[in-house]
Amino acid sequence: MRSDKFYLTTAIPYINAPPHIGHALELLYADVLARHERLLGKEVVFVTGTDEHGQKIARQAEEAGKNPQDFSDEMARVYQDLTKLLQATNTDFIRTSEERHRLGAQEFWRRVARRGHIYKKLYSGLYCVGCEQFKTDKELLDGKCPDHKTAPELIEEENYFFKLTSFQDDLKKLYASNDKFVVPQDKFNEAIQLVNSGLEDVSISRRAKRLSWGIPVPGDESQVMYVWFDALTNYLTVLGFGSEDESLLKRFWPADLHIVGKDINRFHIVLWPAMLLAAGLEPPKQIGVHGWITVDGQKMSKTVGNVVEPSEPIKLYGLEGMRYLFTRYLPFYGDSDFSPARFAELYEADLSNGLGNLVNRVISMVEKYRQGKVPARVQINPMPSVSWKEYCQTMENLEFDKALSLIWNGIVTPANQYIDKTKPWALSKEKKEEELDGVLYLMLESLRQIAWMIRPFMPETSDKMLFQLKQDLNQKFEQYSSWGLLEPGTEISVGSQLFPRLEKA
Ligand code: MSP
């Protein structure tokens, strides 16, 4: 069913360290989709933000000799800068230390409590600060957290608990009612198995004495909320949940898509929908779980010293190049590897020699043989192009890599080959004017189609190409997706080289 609106989110990163290319990639996936949905004519709310409470941040602030709020203000700015650096089109940015979030999260707690899903009990458990999560013995490897390689801390105190167990059946029903609730399927299966094997209630508060950097539990200042219970509600509080103006919430909830990494899928597939059901709210429509990036085959880590900052690939390939290379060669599903050397080769092949060269050739031939004007609309054998239906389907499936392969394998490469084969220079010499018109018109139309299809990925390149072709940028999908829109006689303009060759390191 087509809808006129779309609400999507990224996970909100912890701010204990500056962002790396993993965070950038998640933002890029979301931005590409947000831009695509807008191009389909939808009103899009696209939100990202920062997760600022909890032990991990409190400790990091202490180490930096700062109070947690000042530390968070500084670090949140770095994450906000990242959205600008990538030219992400997020419509809001939510910080969990903001007042609007605190008020909303507390209202959420009250609703869940009022409906009888929160109770207090004495508890002791092993807590991993890295994960901000209690661990069972089963989940540890030689007594250590397998992700953080540290031994969890024993915590014993009276906490509030969320009755996750009451939602076991509702979760099963939810999963059964929507076979696309989680993509990809293997991540969905993981969650289904988890729920089938039996859930436990979750501790959702900490003693404020032990940890004061958090949102106070409504009605009990001696406790603060557990960081995940607080952070997950950002998806609601950013829409004004619990405030005087809930109009955005009414229009945009439930979310169409939460984009999250594979390490935090359980929180989103199990805990979050249960929390929403407990508050009497609808669960999101879909969770998209992406894989992780490694660098030259290795997991990024401070200890190894191979953490790549997002500005690095931008320096290497330009922002447009980075946006293209990341979304094409770091597919959403599964893990993938960033290798600066390999990406440089791909840049040259796909962008300098591929698209850049095609644009250059076509425009200069039109200049040379047709005085820079769109030739007559002569029908010749159509060369392969890409079906918009197939393209939109891959975008909807979050297969951004496939969408780009479709464009390159379906138009960019064949168009370059088509020019080699039809030899417009020879047609001109032999005065085969009609045939030449046909070839040039076809090539210009191909450029127009490419420009619209790459628009979510490389917005500036798309702008430049459409400007050269004198196209109105505000066209609707029905218009720009049809063939043959270029008006014969229109004067096109020559532009500068789109993808200059990289300087050899
Ligand atoms: N604060 C939580 C999320 C709360 S959402 C209500 C968190 N933060 S995080 O900073 O650890 O991770 C933020 C996002 O970045 C997650 O989706 C995570 O999977 C993703 N990534 C972190 N490292 C990554 C890679 N190396 N590659 C791709 N994505 C990665 O979890």
Side-chain angles (χ1 to χ4, degrees), residues 238-257:
V238 72
L239 299 181
F241 174 85
S243 75
E244 274 170 19
D245 180 5
E246 289 196 338
S247 52
L248 265 185
L249 182 81
K250 287 205 180 82
R251 177 150 165 70
F252 285 94
W253 193 261
D256 292 272
L257 177 69

Side-chain angles (χ1 to χ4, degrees), residues 10-17 20-26 29 50-52 56 79 96 130-131 148 227-228 230-235 259-264 267-268 290-294 299-300 335-336:
T10 66
I12 50 172
Y14 294 122
I15 46 145
N16 56 311
H20 54 60
I21 50 171
H23 299 117
L25 181 64
E26 187 171 294
Y29 290 145
T50 39
D51 188 353
E52 305 183 3
K56 200 192 321 232
Y79 279 84
T96 57
C131 297
H148 294 94
V227 59
W228 272 100
D230 149 359
L232 284 163
T233 66
N234 88 87
Y235 303 132
I259 290 183
V260 301
K262 62 176 186 177
D263 55 323
I264 56 171
F267 289 106
H268 285 84
H290 64 79
W292 268 38
I293 318 187
T294 52
K299 191 177 165 180
M300 265 189 288
D335 297 338
S336 49

Side-chain angles (χ1 to χ4, degrees), residues 159-435:
N159 293 149
Y160 288 96
F161 274 72
F162 170 56
K163 283 191 196 165
L164 183 59
T165 46
S166 314
F167 295 94
Q168 197 142 320
D169 290 338
D170 291 329
L171 287 174
K172 284 184 191 167
K173 265 187 231 147
L174 169 68
Y175 300 162
S177 70
N178 177 0
D179 64 356
K180 285 269 183 283
F181 180 61
V182 178
V183 286
Q185 187 65 40
D186 59 325
K187 298 293 171 213
F188 198 3
N189 293 344
E190 226 177 79
I192 294 172
Q193 268 161 21
L194 194 77
V195 173
N196 285 345
S197 67
L199 297 171
E200 282 178 28
D201 290 346
V202 223
S203 159
I204 52 165
S205 71
R206 281 300 95 83
R207 272 177 64 200
K209 258 198 194 148
R210 185 191 282 277
L211 172 73
S212 60
W213 182 232
I215 299 180
V217 167
D220 183 353
E221 300 271 316
S222 75
Q223 299 262 332
V224 300
M225 287 185 201
Y226 167 47
V227 59
W228 272 100
F229 201 85
D230 149 359
L232 284 163
T233 66
N234 88 87
Y235 303 132
L236 294 173
T237 60
V238 72
L239 299 181
F241 174 85
S243 75
E244 274 170 19
D245 180 5
E246 289 196 338
S247 52
L248 265 185
L249 182 81
K250 287 205 180 82
R251 177 150 165 70
F252 285 94
W253 193 261
D256 292 272
L257 177 69
H258 293 312
I259 290 183
V260 301
K262 62 176 186 177
D263 55 323
I264 56 171
N265 62 339
R266 290 179 181 190
F267 289 106
H268 285 84
I269 304 170
V270 183
L271 180 60
W272 179 227
M275 282 168 63
L276 287 161
L277 293 170
L281 291 161
E282 269 186 79
K285 293 185 201 159
Q286 191 174 53
I287 322 281
V289 183
H290 64 79
W292 268 38
I293 318 187
T294 52
V295 174
D296 283 326
Q298 269 191 308
K299 191 177 165 180
M300 265 189 288
S301 101
K302 269 197 211 161
T303 347
V304 180
N306 65 344
V307 178
V308 180
E309 283 185 18
S311 58
E312 292 180 38
I314 298 181
K315 259 184 244 143
L316 292 174
Y317 325 113
L319 177 61
E320 295 280 294
M322 179 223 190
R323 290 182 58 110
Y324 168 81
L325 293 166
F326 271 47
T327 43
R328 174 144 190 206
Y329 294 105
L330 303 170
F332 192 91
Y333 299 120
D335 297 338
S336 49
D337 190 52
F338 170 61
S339 146
R342 185 176 147 252
F343 275 44
E345 284 168 19
L346 294 166
Y347 173 99
E348 298 256 313
D350 297 358
L351 298 176
S352 303
N353 300 336
L355 180 58
N357 187 34
L358 177 68
V359 173
N360 214 10
R361 287 171 98 185
V362 174
I363 302 284
S364 42
M365 287 190 302
V366 174
E367 277 284 302
K368 190 158 171 197
Y369 306 126
R370 291 294 177 263
Q371 296 75 48
K373 292 199 177 116
V374 176
R377 215 184 257 122
V378 175
Q379 284 277 356
I380 50 169
N381 288 339
M383 57 153 254
S385 78
V386 173
S387 110
W388 275 95
K389 199 171 158 211
E390 200 182 341
Y391 167 85
C392 289
Q393 191 59 58
T394 57
M395 296 293 272
E396 201 179 299
N397 294 346
L398 313 178
E399 294 169 309
F400 308 119
D401 56 320
K402 275 202 190 150
L404 288 169
S405 300
L406 278 179
I407 306 170
W408 258 255
N409 298 337
I411 329 180
V412 178
T413 310
N416 264 325
Q417 290 164 346
Y418 190 85
I419 297 173
D420 297 341
K421 203 178 80 195
T422 53
K423 301 192 177 58
W425 47 94
L427 295 177
S428 165
K429 219 180 240 164
E430 293 158 22
K431 303 252 176 306
K432 294 187 176 159
E433 302 301 344
E434 207 176 317
E435 223 174 293

Side-chain angles (χ1 to χ4, degrees), residues 10-28 46-52 56-57 60 71-90 92-96 98 300 302 307-310:
T10 66
I12 50 172
Y14 294 122
I15 46 145
N16 56 311
H20 54 60
I21 50 171
H23 299 117
L25 181 64
E26 187 171 294
L27 255 176
L28 280 184
F46 159 28
V47 173
T48 184
T50 39
D51 188 353
E52 305 183 3
K56 200 192 321 232
I57 315 289
Q60 200 63 42
F71 177 77
S72 298
D73 290 348
E74 255 170 50
M75 293 300 288
R77 218 166 295 132
V78 182
Y79 279 84
Q80 279 161 340
D81 287 347
L82 175 66
T83 63
K84 294 188 189 109
L85 189 71
L86 296 173
Q87 290 180 14
T89 54
N90 52 300
D92 205 338
F93 188 100
I94 180 100
R95 298 180 50 193
T96 57
E98 282 176 75
M300 265 189 288
K302 269 197 211 161
V307 178
V308 180
E309 283 185 18

